[in-house]
Amino acid sequence: MDVVGHRVSAPAAVLSRGRAAERTRREDGGAVSGRGAVRADLEQVFRTAYPRVVAVATRVLGSRDGAEDVAQEVFLSFARTAVPAGEAPAWLSVAAAHTALNHLRSGRRRATREETAAEPDPTVPDVADDVVTLDERRRVRAALARLPRRQAVALVLRHSGLSYAEVAAALDLSPGSVGTTVRRAESALREELSRHASSH
């Protein structure tokens, strides 16, 4: 969004939307606390967690622009929750993975972004980099979108740099089961890629 010739960053856009909604409720005499209210700690949580949320979404989508769109959706949803601040990083990481997978599955992400991008963003590695070459990213993303949701989210979170303990907390798993869950997800992804390759 351009405002007086300056591009407003995604963080500023989310925070300004949250503040505008809060101002509107105050002006209309509505309550600022309770369901639908914007969290008082939104800005602090946002500044701390935004890079990770974008990184998780970028792992799924392979597009920084698409990931920032996902982050905006996730933080707008988070702004209206009562999730304790201490649990926010895990909640936001899972929400980013789910939202990005929804974009991937529904086809809302523009297919041409990948082809028209000159180079992938080198600051945020793509989940496909760990699995296959650049030419196969689209196949990996399509296969990821076909995995059971829990497996796909576990795989995305682990490959986004979350520790086993963080993945366990985010998905409400025992820390000892995360490795097994991720290995099963990787195996399912390989099977899905193989099945899809043999059907063409």
Side-chain angles (χ1 to χ4, degrees):
M1 166 169 71
D2 286 325
V3 178
V4 193
H6 298 290
R7 179 170 170 78
V8 175
S9 68
V14 172
L15 292 173
S16 67
R17 280 188 188 176
R19 289 182 189 129
E22 184 175 342
R23 268 194 310 277
T24 300
R25 277 191 295 279
R26 282 186 180 147
E27 290 166 2
D28 292 342
V32 179
S33 60
R35 188 179 174 105
V38 176
R39 303 171 60 104
D41 63 350
L42 177 61
E43 187 166 353
Q44 178 59 38
V45 171
F46 187 95
R47 293 189 189 289
T48 303
Y50 183 79
R52 176 180 276 182
V53 170
V54 171
V56 168
T58 301
R59 288 276 189 175
V60 175
L61 299 174
S63 161
R64 175 77 182 200
D65 289 341
E68 287 180 350
D69 291 344
V70 165
Q72 193 166 27
E73 284 182 46
V74 167
F75 277 100
L76 286 171
S77 295
F78 175 74
R80 292 170 181 86
T81 70
V83 174
E87 296 173 17
W91 188 96
L92 290 163
S93 294
V94 171
H98 280 291
T99 304
L101 285 165
N102 287 343
H103 279 242
L104 197 62
R105 287 179 176 167
S106 69
R108 284 165 48 191
R109 179 178 152 265
R110 286 186 227 151
T112 56
R113 278 189 180 163
E114 193 170 293
E115 286 82 32
T116 58
E119 288 290 322
D121 185 346
T123 61
V124 182
D126 188 279
V127 71
D129 289 340
D130 297 335
V131 184
V132 293
T133 64
L134 179 63
D135 295 336
E136 296 176 322
R137 284 183 178 175
R138 184 179 298 161
R139 282 189 337 109
V140 171
R141 289 192 187 94
L144 183 65
R146 291 189 297 268
L147 289 183
R149 181 56 62 104
R150 191 171 186 86
Q151 285 186 343
V153 171
L155 188 61
V156 168
L157 294 179
R158 183 64 184 132
H159 283 273
S160 294
L162 274 70
S163 68
Y164 281 92
E166 290 171 320
V167 173
L171 296 179
D172 198 25
L173 297 171
S174 69
S177 69
V178 172
T180 302
T181 302
V182 170
R183 281 191 299 279
R184 285 181 181 158
E186 289 170 341
S187 176
L189 182 62
R190 281 191 292 274
E191 287 175 22
E192 192 62 40
L193 285 166
S194 177
R195 182 181 313 119
H196 188 69
S198 65
S199 68
H200 281 81

